Amino acid sequence: MIGYTLRRLASALLLTVAVTFVTFVLIFSDSNAIARATLGKAATQAAVDQKAAQLGLDRPVLVQYLDWVGDVLHGSLGVSFFTGESVTSMLTTRLPVTLSLTAVVVVLTALVSVLVGTLAAVRGGWLDRTLQMFAVSGAAVPAFIVAIFLVLLVAVEWGWLPATGYVPFARGPVEWARSLALPVLAILVGSIGGAAQQFRGAVSEVLQQDFVRTLRSRGIGEFGIVFRHVLRSAAAPGLTILGLQTIGMLGGVVLIEQVFALPGVGDLAVEMTLRSDIPVVMGCVVFTVLVVVVVNLVADIVGAWLNPKVRLG
């Protein structure tokens, strides 16, 4: 298990370096465009060249990347081109919102999709057909459409929950939960159906294997077979699917933060992209990459811990 974990950590590190390098090259390759974006379209070429030199953008991209990596290793993601504020500080104020939203969605998606997917695979019948319909419907309707519907119905018409804004957990757990309820529900409508359907497929595949028939022939009850053996074998593909679902959710989180006016990283990324504040955009990219890498890493390690056969792959 230790060897497998170290191999996965090494792969995660290489992936992080590769993605940040490619992203950095794509973003910082045109120093002229970046400098002009900070000065405005009316700026002269001489002013643009001077600004590029001032920001250090006239150096080779590889040199800029290595300097950026050195700063990251010392805990700095640079400063905003417009405000001079530390990117790390800007992200720190936004992280609790996005992490709260993402964590709640992932936990609820995992719990509900495992429960519903397993029941659909074991019971079949109307529950299975309902899951199929719900998954197709959830995938067909974008999260922001669901969000707008929830705002109009639950927040405006009924007045049960706030339509916008975020309340920190430290200020009051109940108000924190109320502020996240509609955003979480808007994302769950699409995520649970797909994850439950995929998990149902993983469980159904394991149920068809010979060792399950052997266990049944020995008189072991279906409940014991499913919860002691089938779920353990289906854990690895199920966790992989959940990891992919989480990565897919990140795009939806950006839109949901916009709809519900949540001051998270997605909202910051959109705002700074429109202003061409490149260091802040790069910081948001780093955050997204880290979330993707960590989610995949945790899913792989937990899957290998639950099913030792995975370590041999």
Side-chain angles (χ1 to χ4, degrees):
M1 188 65 198
I2 294 177
Y4 177 83
T5 302
L6 292 176
R7 289 198 301 274
R8 293 300 301 132
L9 283 171
S11 299
L13 180 60
L14 286 175
L15 177 64
T16 303
V17 172
V19 173
T20 55
F21 176 72
V22 172
T23 305
F24 192 95
V25 170
L26 291 174
I27 291 179
F28 285 86
S29 59
D30 193 345
S31 59
N32 187 70
I34 296 173
R36 185 172 292 280
T38 62
L39 295 174
K41 294 181 179 179
T44 63
Q45 186 59 45
V48 169
D49 292 341
Q50 184 179 8
K51 189 67 176 179
Q54 177 189 345
L55 297 175
L57 299 173
D58 56 342
R59 299 170 298 158
V61 176
L62 180 59
V63 174
Q64 293 183 55
Y65 177 74
L66 292 177
D67 286 346
W68 179 80
V69 171
D71 291 339
V72 170
L73 293 177
H74 287 87
S76 172
L77 288 167
V79 296
S80 166
F81 280 169
F82 293 91
T83 65
E85 186 179 356
S86 164
V87 175
T88 306
S89 174
M90 295 173 74
L91 285 174
T92 301
T93 60
R94 305 291 189 118
L95 281 178
V97 182
T98 302
L99 290 180
S100 295
L101 180 60
T102 305
V104 172
V105 169
V106 170
V107 170
L108 290 179
T109 300
L111 293 176
V112 178
S113 62
V114 169
L115 178 62
V116 174
T118 302
L119 287 175
V122 174
R123 298 283 184 178
W126 68 268
L127 181 59
D128 194 16
R129 292 192 291 274
T130 302
L131 173 61
Q132 305 285 341
M133 293 177 59
F134 182 72
V136 173
S137 302
V141 182
F144 73 92
I145 296 294
V146 179
I148 293 172
F149 174 77
L150 290 174
V151 168
L152 293 176
L153 183 65
V154 181
V156 177
E157 182 68 22
W158 297 342
W160 290 354
L161 292 167
T164 59
Y166 172 77
V167 178
F169 184 86
R171 192 180 301 173
V174 174
E175 290 306 311
W176 170 80
R178 282 173 52 82
S179 68
L180 286 179
L182 291 184
V184 167
L185 187 57
I187 301 175
L188 284 181
V189 169
S191 65
I192 284 182
Q197 189 180 30
Q198 297 296 328
F199 203 88
R200 171 237 177 230
V203 173
S204 296
E205 186 176 345
V206 177
L207 285 172
Q208 303 302 318
Q209 294 183 10
D210 292 338
F211 82 90
V212 175
R213 285 192 284 271
T214 302
L215 292 172
R216 285 172 176 158
S217 68
R218 292 177 180 174
I220 299 177
E222 196 72 14
F223 182 88
I225 292 174
V226 170
F227 284 91
R228 291 181 183 176
H229 304 281
V230 173
L231 284 182
R232 193 181 184 93
S233 298
L239 288 170
T240 301
I241 292 163
L242 184 61
L244 294 174
Q245 286 277 344
T246 303
I247 295 168
M249 274 182 229
L250 290 176
V253 166
V254 174
L255 292 175
I256 292 301
E257 287 183 354
Q258 291 287 301
V259 173
F260 290 98
L262 299 177
V265 175
D267 179 68
L268 178 68
V270 172
E271 180 185 348
M272 293 300 117
T273 300
L274 294 175
R275 295 181 60 181
S276 299
D277 200 339
I278 303 303
V280 185
V281 174
M282 190 64 199
C284 295
V285 170
V286 171
F287 165 76
T288 306
V289 170
L290 288 179
V291 170
V292 171
V293 169
V294 169
V295 167
N296 275 306
L297 184 63
V298 171
D300 288 346
I301 292 176
V302 173
W305 176 65
L306 291 172
N307 187 0
K309 292 180 181 177
V310 175
R311 303 172 207 167
L312 304 176

